[in-house]
Every structure is written in C-alpha cells, then in structure tokens.
C-alpha cells in the first residue's frame, strides 16, 4: 500500500473527543461523522482536508474513549494514513481492525512540517517527505497485525476462522 | 520466574501454563459488553461475520446508558438497535431504562463480572472491573463484534507496573479518586501506555470496593490496558451474595516481574483536582487558588456509587448550593438510586438545591442533562476533562472527588470540604 498527500500536524495527546466529539455520536454513519473530523482540535479541518492527506501527530494520538467512530471518521474524511510518535492502545487496535493505516515514527513526526507533501509505503514502513527529500523508517508492524491487514480487517479474519 | 495476576488470568483463558509480556494470544472471554454508542457499530459488523447466534446469550451484555433516556431521535434509533438485537438473540443481560444503570456500576453490582474473568467491553472504562481482580479492558466495536461471534479475542500480553500505596490510613477527605488522580499526575496520560496497572499496598487493602472501582476505572486515563487489584476479603464479601457462577481468585507471585514499581505514601496525598484539559494536570486542593464554577456534577462510572453519594450528602447537609451554580447528581444504578432514597440522601440533595437524575452517562461525555455553554466551567467527579468533553469546546472541566465537588457547589468556587462550615 502506498499513499501520497499533504500533511496536517497535530500536537500531543490528541484525544478521541477532539477527533470526534461525543455530541455527534448519535449516529455511526461514516460520511456524517467525517463532517466533524478533528473538529475540536481544529474547527476548519473537515473543510481543509482532501482525499489522500496524512495526519502527523506527536505522542499518544487517540487517547481517551474506545469509540471506533474516531478512526472511522478519519478514514471517511479521506485521510490515507496517520503517523504519530505513539498511539493510545485502543485507537491503535481499532485502526487496524477497521483498516486505517497508522505508523509510529518519532523521526518522521519531527521531520515533517505542516503542508509538506508526504509519501508513505505502509508495507515497508517507509515515510518519504517529498518536500524536503528526507525519508524515515517507522516501527515494524507486528506480524499478526500484518495478517489482519492482509485478511482485510478483523471481521474478515474472524469470518475466515469461524467458517474454517 | 513467577507471574503477575494479569498474566495468570490471561494464561488461564488462553489455555496455557504461562504467558510472557509481548506475547500475542487468543483468549476466551467471560463477558462482552457494549452500549448505545458502540454496540450499533458492533451489531452491523457482527452481521457481516455471518454467524446465526452470539457465542453465549448470557455473556453478551448490552446497556443503553449513554444517551438514554433517549435524548433525541437519532439516539432513540441507536437504542432501538440494541433492544432489537437483544430480543433477537434472547440476551439475558440487556438492561432497559428504569432497570439499568451506568454499565460500569451495573455489571459488578449485578454479579455479571467476577474475579478471575476476562472481560472486553466496547467502552474504554471497562477497565473498572479490574477492581474485582478480573482482567478487563476496553476495545472498539469491531473487537466487540468479533468477541460476540467467537467468544474469544486477541491480546498482546501487557507488561505490568506495580503501584504500592503505603500508609494504613487515608488522610481525611482523601479517597480512591485522589489516589488515582495523584498517580496519573505523577506518570502522565501515557505513563502506562499498553501496560497493566496493578494497585497494591496497605492503603489499597483498607480501601472499600467503591474506592477500588474508582481507581481501576481511571487506569485508561494513564493509557493503561487494564487496572487490577488482587482480591481479598473485601472483594469476596462484595461478590459472594452476587455471584451466580463459580469464580477464581488469582494473586501475583512474589517473584513476578514488573516493568516498574512505583511507591507512594498516602500521607502525602491531599484531595486532588485535575485542571483542564488533561487528567494529568493535577494539583492538591491547597494549591488550586480561586477557580469559580458554573456547574458541579456528582456521579458517573467513576464516582456514582453509594459511598460517593454519602460523602456528597455529608458535605451538603444543611447547606445550599451557591446561587450561581447548578449541581447535578447522577446515581450509578437503580439499586443505588433506591438505596440513596431510603437513606434520605435525596432529601438532603433537593433541600440543597441540586437536580437529581435517573442513572445515565448524561453530562459526563457531553451527551445531555447538563451541557456547558461557551466559557462555562464545571467541577465533576467524572474521569475526563478533555476539550469539549462536557459541552462547548471553550468550556472547562475540573476533576475531583465527590466531597470536593459538593463543597465547590456550595461555595461557588473549587474548594475543599473543610472550608464548608
Ligand atoms: S459515565 Fe462517563 S466515562 Fe463512564 S461510561 Fe458513561 S460516558 Fe463513559
């Protein structure tokens, strides 16, 4: 999987309430949720973001609630991938389960300025800053997670196991 | 090499003699939980798996508690999905409005979760049940769907951090909330990322079950995978009358391996207040200064239990809520509601000028029943003070124990209970 897009930078400890505030959780429709993606961190984000863009954040991205609406709305807003110094664990798990690519790379986060064009090779964990010409490695995805991705997410994986 | 309580429970549920931190396992689950926000997504995913039934109709628990009693039409539709799914699959543990409670107060109270269990819930505060000596953790809706179908779930075995709370007696007005806020203030909101937080020490042994639930509840606020307290007589006394099936007590071995051991002396701990917008921004009450408030909220899965309501009543008795403050009180379950009524606590609350609600998550997540306007400030006994958590993105939430919240409601500014005459 390869993606290229413009980067949007966020700080540390971006919580799930900032990603998708609870006041919008009376629906689970991805398109509707996408209209409010990252709204409490940056009110203009839903308007500014375009298909393929990349979110780049400091440590502990996605902390807080277990709402899968968080990775769902990011994916539905067109974001191709999230790069952070670290992820909160439920968000990390949810992102893999629903097929939103996420990569941990402190170097890449420090080496990307908002607006830089970024190319991401998810399979090899390589992040290339097209604007500056620098490239970075991300932490390897555990083999089991790779299996989940290959199966097309957790539901397909479980369906495969249960119908075996 | 010995094992921690977390490792032992996971090993037993994975059919193994031992597990090591970092190992990926498939574990059998004893309870799979969802609510009116997360279960609708899970139900849709469950249907894609294509199995006719849930793995066990007694072990899938659905509780409409977040936007209920239904706050609007969309919420009503979500709650309806739960109701219909519960009926279709003949779920034993579906709790309707009027019989329900906030999930993390209700499950232990009803004896649905027991020591030694593995529990997943599509709600991050599922970690609450660690107070019973269970391994219990929050997951997303897709994990919930997979758990409902297969009765098992994958985990990475976490490393454990041991927190030792020394000192026999807690200082006055200090409770489980203050101990956990103090620890989060110390290690930070990602201080226990991916790890098990094991709470031990003489002060924990002397803590009531209610205080222990409060502590385990907030493990996620330090990024923890689970919080856990080894069962003792207090635990057994609590579960004995509630358990309808056998349970198993696990303890950490003396030579178990911990990633870190952190020791505190409870004599150093004052009532804590977490300032906006992260639970790690804690200050002892003596250093808070003057912070005026518009609203006080007492309740939630963190502090909506009997002990919390009694504490609030003790402070509020014979006082009135400050004219510029709204005090909203949320008992955790119907059983707690009834008990509080019997003990005359509601009379104290209403005489003081407080609004008492039916059990619901309500304002805790900015759902309904006490939303903040732009620029407003609240003190709350809940667990999160993120931007916009209780309403407008430019409102503020401060976290505290119930005694501090009650005293603040009376004085109109954040204050300790000893300031109330
Ligand atoms: S009371 Fe608050 S923290 Fe607890 S389950 Fe409800 S919304 Fe979540």
């Amino acid at each position: 999987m390869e993606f290229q897009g413009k980067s949007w930078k966020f700080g540390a400890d971006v919580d799930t309430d900032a990603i998708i505030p609870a006041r919008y959780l009376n629906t689970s429709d991805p398109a509707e949720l996408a209209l409010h993606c990252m709204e409490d961190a940056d009110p203009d984000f839903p308007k500014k973001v375009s298909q393929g863009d990349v979110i780049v954040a400091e440590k502990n991205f996605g902390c807080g609630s277990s709402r899968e609406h968080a990775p769902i709305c990011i994916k539905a807003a067109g974001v191709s991938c999230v790069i952070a110094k670290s992820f909160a664990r439920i968000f990390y798990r949810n992102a893999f389960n629903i097929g939103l690519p996420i990569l941990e790379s402190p170097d890449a986060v420090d080496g990307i300025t908002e607006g830089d064009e970024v190319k991401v090779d998810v399979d090899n964990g390589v992040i290339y800053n097209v604007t500056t010409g620098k490239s970075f490695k991300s932490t390897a995805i555990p083999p089991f997670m790779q299996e989940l991705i290959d199966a097309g997410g957790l539901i397909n994986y479980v369906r495969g196991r249960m119908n075996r | 090499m010995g094992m921690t309580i977390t490792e032992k429970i996971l090993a037993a549920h994975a059919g193994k003699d031992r597990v090591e931190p970092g190992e990926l396992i498939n574990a059998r689950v004893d309870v799979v939980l969802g609510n009116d926000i997360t279960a609708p997504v899970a139900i849709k995913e469950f249907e894609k798996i294509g199995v006719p039934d849930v793995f066990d109709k007694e072990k899938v628990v659905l509780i409409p508690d977040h936007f209920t009693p239904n706050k609007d039409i969309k919420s009503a539709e979500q709650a309806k999905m739960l109701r219909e799914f519960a009926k279709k699959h003949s779920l034993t543990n579906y709790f309707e409005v009027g019989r329900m409670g906030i999930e993390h107060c209700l499950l232990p109270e009803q004896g649905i979760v027991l020591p030694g269990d593995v529990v997943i819930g599509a709600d991050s505060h599922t970690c609450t049940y660690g107070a019973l000596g269970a391994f219990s953790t929050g997951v997303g809706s897709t994990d919930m769907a997979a758990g409902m179908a297969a009765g098992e779930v994958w985990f990475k075995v976490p490393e454990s951090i041991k927190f030792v709370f020394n000192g026999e007696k807690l200082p006055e007005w200090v409770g489980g909330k203050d101990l956990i806020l103090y620890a989060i203030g110390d290690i930070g909101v990602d201080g226990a990322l991916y790890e098990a937080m094991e709470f031990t020490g003489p002060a924990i042994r002397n803590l009531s079950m209610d205080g222990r639930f409060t502590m385990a509840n907030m493990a996620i606020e330090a990024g923890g995978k689970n919080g856990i307290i080894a069962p003792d007589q207090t635990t057994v006394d609590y579960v004995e009358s509630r358990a309808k099936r056998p349970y198993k007590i696990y303890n950490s071995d003396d030579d178990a391996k911990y990633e870190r051991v952190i020791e505190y002396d409870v004599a150093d701990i004052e009532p804590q207040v977490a300032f906006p917008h992260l639970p790690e921004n804690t200050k002892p009450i003596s250093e808070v200064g003057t912070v005026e408030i518009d609203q006080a909220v007492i309740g939630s899965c963190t502090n909506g239990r009997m002990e919390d309501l009694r504490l609030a009543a003790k402070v509020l008795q014979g006082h009135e809520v400050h004219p510029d403050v709204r005090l909203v009180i949320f008992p955790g379950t119907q059983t707690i509601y009834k008990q509080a009524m019997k003990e005359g606590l509601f009379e104290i609350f209403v005489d003081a000028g407080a609004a008492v609600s039916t059990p619901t998550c309500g304002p805790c997540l900015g759902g309904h029943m006490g939303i903040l306007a732009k620029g407003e400030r609240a003190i709350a006994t809940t667990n999160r003070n993120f931007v916009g958590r209780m309403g407008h993105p430019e409102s503020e939430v401060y976290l505290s124990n119930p005694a501090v919240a009650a005293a603040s409601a009376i004085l109109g500014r954040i204050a300790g209970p000893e300031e109330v005459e």
Side-chain angles (χ1 to χ4, degrees), chain A residues 91-103:
Chain A
F91 183 90
Y92 183 85
R93 203 179 163 106
N94 287 346
F96 277 100
N97 285 346
I98 68 146
L100 170 70
I102 59 173
L103 294 173

Side-chain angles (χ1 to χ4, degrees), chain B residues 65-66 102-104 123 125 300-301 361 364-365 383 389:
Chain B
D65 59 353
H66 277 59
I102 300 170
E103 51 201 283
H104 308 309
D123 189 279
H125 293 104
S300 85
C301 62
C361 291
C364 171
L365 80 160
N383 46 38
R389 175 72 180 180

Side-chain angles (χ1 to χ4, degrees), chain B residues 160-179:
Chain B
S160 293
I161 308 178
K162 183 170 171 173
F163 293 83
V164 187
F165 289 86
N166 292 310
E168 293 289 330
K169 210 175 160 291
L170 292 178
E172 211 192 355
W173 305 113
V174 170
K177 181 63 161 288
D178 305 294
L179 303 189

Side-chain angles (χ1 to χ4, degrees), chain B residues 95-139:
Chain B
F95 294 88
E96 192 53 87
V97 169
R99 280 141 275 175
M100 52 72 110
I102 300 170
E103 51 201 283
H104 308 309
C105 298
L106 192 69
L107 265 66
E109 176 194 284
Q110 297 294 322
I112 295 168
V113 179
L114 296 170
D117 282 356
V118 167
V119 181
I120 58 164
D123 189 279
S124 58
H125 293 104
T126 302
C127 53
T128 308
Y129 319 131
L132 292 166
F135 174 86
S136 188
T137 191
V139 295

